[in-house]
Amino acid sequence: MTFGARLVLEWSFIGAVASWVAIAGAFDQLYLLIPNEPLTLTLGLGLTVISLYGLVHSARRGPRWALIPATVAIIAVIAGIVTDGSLLALGLTIPGFY
């Protein structure tokens, strides 16, 4: 396995974990570990943005077959960004939302 392929697969795994953290933080599963909802949403949003950058950066340098797991991970990461971003924006604009 080449270095580029390994890098894409590693970032795909990191993206899957980051999207899970983002979506679990949005639906109160991660709230049991960190009892501050804006903090869990910000953590998930930050992790997904970092993993999205790593996925895009590594997918351009990897082989063509590695685009399949990268695309699946990018879709999951975008879902996590939209979920956390919208809940965080609603919580910052609507008093008493959290």
Side-chain angles (χ1 to χ4, degrees):
M1 182 178 301
T2 64
F3 177 73
R6 195 182 93 229
L7 194 63
V8 172
L9 293 177
E10 287 173 357
W11 275 110
S12 296
F13 178 73
I14 291 169
V17 170
S19 66
W20 178 83
V21 167
I23 293 172
F27 293 113
D28 290 336
Q29 294 171 353
L30 197 62
Y31 189 73
L32 298 173
L33 297 174
I34 305 171
N36 186 358
E37 187 148 0
L39 182 64
T40 59
L41 293 174
T42 304
L43 175 70
L45 189 63
L47 287 176
T48 52
V49 169
I50 291 169
S51 65
L52 183 63
Y53 177 77
L55 275 165
V56 170
H57 184 71
S58 66
R60 286 191 279 162
R61 287 161 176 70
R64 290 182 191 253
W65 64 265
L67 288 176
I68 295 169
T71 303
V72 171
I74 285 173
I75 290 170
V77 164
I78 289 174
I81 288 173
V82 168
T83 303
D84 272 3
S86 61
L87 286 176
L88 193 58
L90 286 173
L92 292 176
T93 56
I94 300 172
F97 183 76
Y98 297 125

